[in-house]
Amino acid sequence: FNLGHASQRGSTYGDRSGIMGDSIYLDEGEETLRCYNAAKNWQLGWFEENSINLDLVSNDWEGRLVGPANFQASNDANKNVLLKIAESYYVQFNYAAGVNSGSQEFINRVTVVKQIDDGDYSWIQAALREKEAYTIDIFDYGSITVEVVEINTNNFNDAYADVRVYNGNRAKCIETCCSEVNCGDDSSISTDKNSYTPGDEIKVSFTNNSPKVYDWIWIIDGADVDQFGQITKDWYNGALWLFTCGSDNCEGTPNSGELSFDSSNLESGVYVAYYLWIDRHNVEVASSPFTVVGDGNTISPTEAPVPQFDLAMETSKVSYSDNENIDISFTNPLPTNYDWVGIYSAEETVQKYAIISDNWQLSKFACGTQDCEDDVDEGVVTFPSANLDAGIYRAYLLFGDAYSVLTRSEEFTVGTVSSLPSYLPSSLPSSLPSSLPSSLPSS
């Protein structure tokens, strides 16, 4: 089929929402039931009559997505399955039921995937819940936002996600969804109190319309949840957890329940109870923070801010001699294993869909060499100016071993050039402003 891997930051098989991610070492059972992600489905053309190419979104679009799993069962006359945006971004509703009930990640979320060409690796960009949004930055063109208005999974035939796509920026998390993790979901989780002393029983109540075998509850402190809804902290011996069916070895799939946890071994601190999918670290919902307080101390429940930083690139100087290092620093919130830095002549232009030519002068992968394969969210790449002719240049950060521009630096010069970079004044003022004295006092 000429399908590339389904990738997620740090792993070229890391997108386990569909069949092109990590392999399944089983011949049958629910875990084997996985569809393809949005980019692969578009490439296969299986939902062509219910797919829309929005290109650069000349007009705002609002409509309903159904999942590949319930496409045939859906009674909605206006149903769509796939959206394509700006030539390389693909959107679908990952409804984890029926033939897709074995999806391992981004369950019942609207996913945004980037893939440059047929056969390439795809890279997950966002997994959105109701009321969340993701902004696609199309370099030198502007921004396109995908916003999830509503998700409904109450029954198989009518499950859907209502989505808006429009030009312009919107906060990546609308209203309070980044800090109040239960917003808009069909699922919920809560504790019976907001403060406990060691030895108290912690009662955790939960609901979930689409439970899976091996869903579990984990009470944990100091955990960060990344932009894909995954806990970044490793599980450890002694962790306080239970499967939702009530023990550490059951296989039930309750839609709701109440579990009791012994807090005796918890140190004083701030904790959260997470509902996690299928024996993995993928968060469905999380409780409000609560405290465990001992020895008369008090701790105010607080939520850690979600760290975010934007695409950026800059050079260490605006002008270099013909024999010194050019240090180029960058930040990238969604790196792939094959992002790279290229130095181009300042005369090169970025074309439609943020594509640039292959006429680079110097290049390295973002991890710093010409043969590494690490994903890097911030770093410095160094080039020798001696390998460049005298002239004016820009540095570009490019996506995934392709010519898709993520961001670029301001112009900089190497050696002696006849003109300055375009963003600097070409000459000093010929005279001082009239409001200033024409000369300094003589004494």
Side-chain angles (χ1 to χ4, degrees), residues 8 10 39 46 49 67 75 103 150 222 262 358 367 380:
Q8 183 179 170
W46 286 353
E49 293 184 359
N75 300 314
S103 178
E150 181 184 4
D262 182 358
D358 61 358
C367 42
V380 177

Side-chain angles (χ1 to χ4, degrees), residues 189-198 200-205 219 263 266-273 287-294 297-303:
I189 188 170
S190 61
T191 56
D192 60 325
K193 298 192 296 184
N194 60 21
S195 185
Y196 303 85
T197 57
D200 285 350
E201 184 179 58
I202 301 172
K203 293 182 179 180
V204 178
S205 300
I219 292 177
S263 66
L266 294 180
E267 297 180 356
S268 295
V270 181
Y271 293 82
V272 172
S287 74
S288 297
F290 61 90
T291 60
V292 174
V293 182
N297 296 318
T298 59
I299 302 174
S300 299
T302 57
E303 294 195 28

Side-chain angles (χ1 to χ4, degrees), residues 309-314 328-332 335 339 341 365-368 376-381 397 407:
F309 51 88
D310 296 322
L311 279 166
M313 171 172 269
E314 63 180 3
I328 302 168
S329 60
F330 65 89
T331 57
N332 181 4
D339 294 338
V341 176
F365 283 118
C367 42
V376 181
D377 55 17
E378 58 181 330
V380 177
V381 177
L397 180 63
T407 189

Side-chain angles (χ1 to χ4, degrees), residues 217-425:
I217 308 293
W218 187 7
I219 292 177
I220 186 174
D221 68 328
D224 288 327
V225 179
D226 68 16
Q227 64 265 48
F228 302 120
Q230 298 171 329
I231 287 181
T232 57
K233 188 169 184 175
D234 293 333
W235 186 88
Y236 55 91
N237 286 331
L240 194 57
W241 71 279
L242 290 171
F243 288 125
T244 56
C245 45
S247 74
D248 59 4
N249 61 5
C250 56
E251 297 184 3
T253 57
N255 291 84
S256 62
E258 182 180 273
L259 302 180
S260 295
F261 297 84
D262 182 358
S263 66
S264 296
N265 293 325
L266 294 180
E267 297 180 356
S268 295
V270 181
Y271 293 82
V272 172
Y274 291 95
Y275 186 113
L276 300 140
W277 289 107
I278 321 174
D279 203 15
R280 296 185 182 274
H281 287 189
N282 304 307
V283 177
E284 167 60 358
V285 287
S287 74
S288 297
F290 61 90
T291 60
V292 174
V293 182
D295 301 325
N297 296 318
T298 59
I299 302 174
S300 299
T302 57
E303 294 195 28
V306 177
Q308 294 184 353
F309 51 88
D310 296 322
L311 279 166
M313 171 172 269
E314 63 180 3
T315 55
S316 55
K317 298 166 59 177
V318 298
S319 183
Y320 297 88
S321 72
D322 57 8
N323 189 26
E324 63 178 312
N325 285 336
I326 302 171
D327 293 326
I328 302 168
S329 60
F330 65 89
T331 57
N332 181 4
L334 283 176
T336 80
N337 297 53
Y338 306 103
D339 294 338
W340 59 291
V341 176
I343 293 180
Y344 282 78
S345 166
E347 296 178 357
E348 286 286 342
T349 58
V350 179
Q351 326 234 337
K352 188 178 181 181
Y353 308 124
I355 301 300
I356 197 169
S357 78
D358 61 358
N359 192 30
W360 47 268
Q361 305 299 305
L362 298 174
S363 70
K364 288 181 181 180
F365 283 118
C367 42
T369 71
Q370 292 181 326
D371 58 4
C372 57
E373 296 183 1
D374 298 326
D375 64 306
V376 181
D377 55 17
E378 58 181 330
V380 177
V381 177
T382 300
F383 297 91
S385 65
N387 291 350
L388 293 170
D389 293 334
I392 305 175
Y393 298 90
R394 285 185 188 269
Y396 287 82
L397 180 63
L398 299 114
F399 172 88
D401 204 14
Y403 292 96
S404 175
V405 175
L406 295 172
T407 189
R408 72 182 180 187
S409 73
E410 296 284 2
E411 294 175 0
F412 62 92
T413 64
V414 172
T416 303
V417 296
S418 57
S419 60
L420 293 171
S422 59
Y423 67 95
L424 295 178

Side-chain angles (χ1 to χ4, degrees), residues 181-193:
V181 288
N182 284 330
C183 67
D185 282 308
D186 292 330
S187 305
S188 66
I189 188 170
S190 61
T191 56
D192 60 325
K193 298 192 296 184

